[in-house]
């Protein structure tokens, strides 16, 4: 689904109106280095389609990004020497999305500890049979 207002910073990058360090592009996808990397090689992978969040992205663009993410992850590791990496994909301001255009972060984890830090607060599973059914029905 497209936005009414197609003027995020990533739209300008897609249109070549502002510069970036491009590392990959095709008909559906652009990848470039993050301007504020949390690790050397931190790369953003975005669809050309101006969807705000992943749930709004077309199957075509989703497939194109899914097909290329492993390649980009391999390239980031090859170029930086990292042996591990995280994919981060934020949807919604409450979930730390700052740029309202779908993007995947490819974040290498380096030996010096730089990379993504994760706070993973576990909750009790509880009785979730109804929840599982509700999600399955919604799919
Ligand atoms: P979010 O929090 O929305 O998942 O992450 C947005 C990312 O976009 C941030 O990591 C931020 O550094 C990056 N970013 C924001 N503006 C620019 C820009 O103008 N150029 C590049 N290359 N990255 C940007």
């Amino acid at each position: 689904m497209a936005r009414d207002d197609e003027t995020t910073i990533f739209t300008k990058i897609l249109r070549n109106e502002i510069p970036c360090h491009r590392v990959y592009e095709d008909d559906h996808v652009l990848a470039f280095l993050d301007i504020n990397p949390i690790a050397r090689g931190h790369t953003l992978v975005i669809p050309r389609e101006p969807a705000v969040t992943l749930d709004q992205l077309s199957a075509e663009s989703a497939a194109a990004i899914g097909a290329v993410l492993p390649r980009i992850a391999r390239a980031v590791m090859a170029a930086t020497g990292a042996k591990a990496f995280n994919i981060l994909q934020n949807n919604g301001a409450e979930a730390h999305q700052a740029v309202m255009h779908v993007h995947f972060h490819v974040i290498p984890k380096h030996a010096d500890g730089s990379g993504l830090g994760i706070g993973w607060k576990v909750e009790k599973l509880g009785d979730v049979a109804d929840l599982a059914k509700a999600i399955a029905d919604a799919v």
Side-chain angles (χ1 to χ4, degrees), residues 9-10 32-36 44 90 96-99 103 105:
I9 199 82
F10 291 173
F32 52 96
L33 297 183
D34 195 295
I35 203 167
N36 287 314
L44 298 173
N90 300 325
H96 306 286
Q97 183 179 7
V99 178
H103 52 281
H105 298 256

Side-chain angles (χ1 to χ4, degrees), residues 44-102:
L44 298 173
V45 186
I46 72 173
R48 294 193 186 276
E49 181 184 329
V52 177
T53 53
L54 187 64
D55 52 291
Q56 298 175 352
L57 191 63
S58 70
E60 189 181 23
S61 290
I65 286 209
V68 83
L69 268 174
R71 266 179 82 188
I72 293 173
R74 283 193 294 272
V76 168
M77 288 196 293
T80 64
K83 300 281 185 276
F85 66 97
N86 293 95
I87 299 292
L88 176 68
Q89 206 279 310
N90 300 325
N91 297 278
E94 305 88 336
H96 306 286
Q97 183 179 7
V99 178
M100 294 300 153
H101 183 120
V102 171

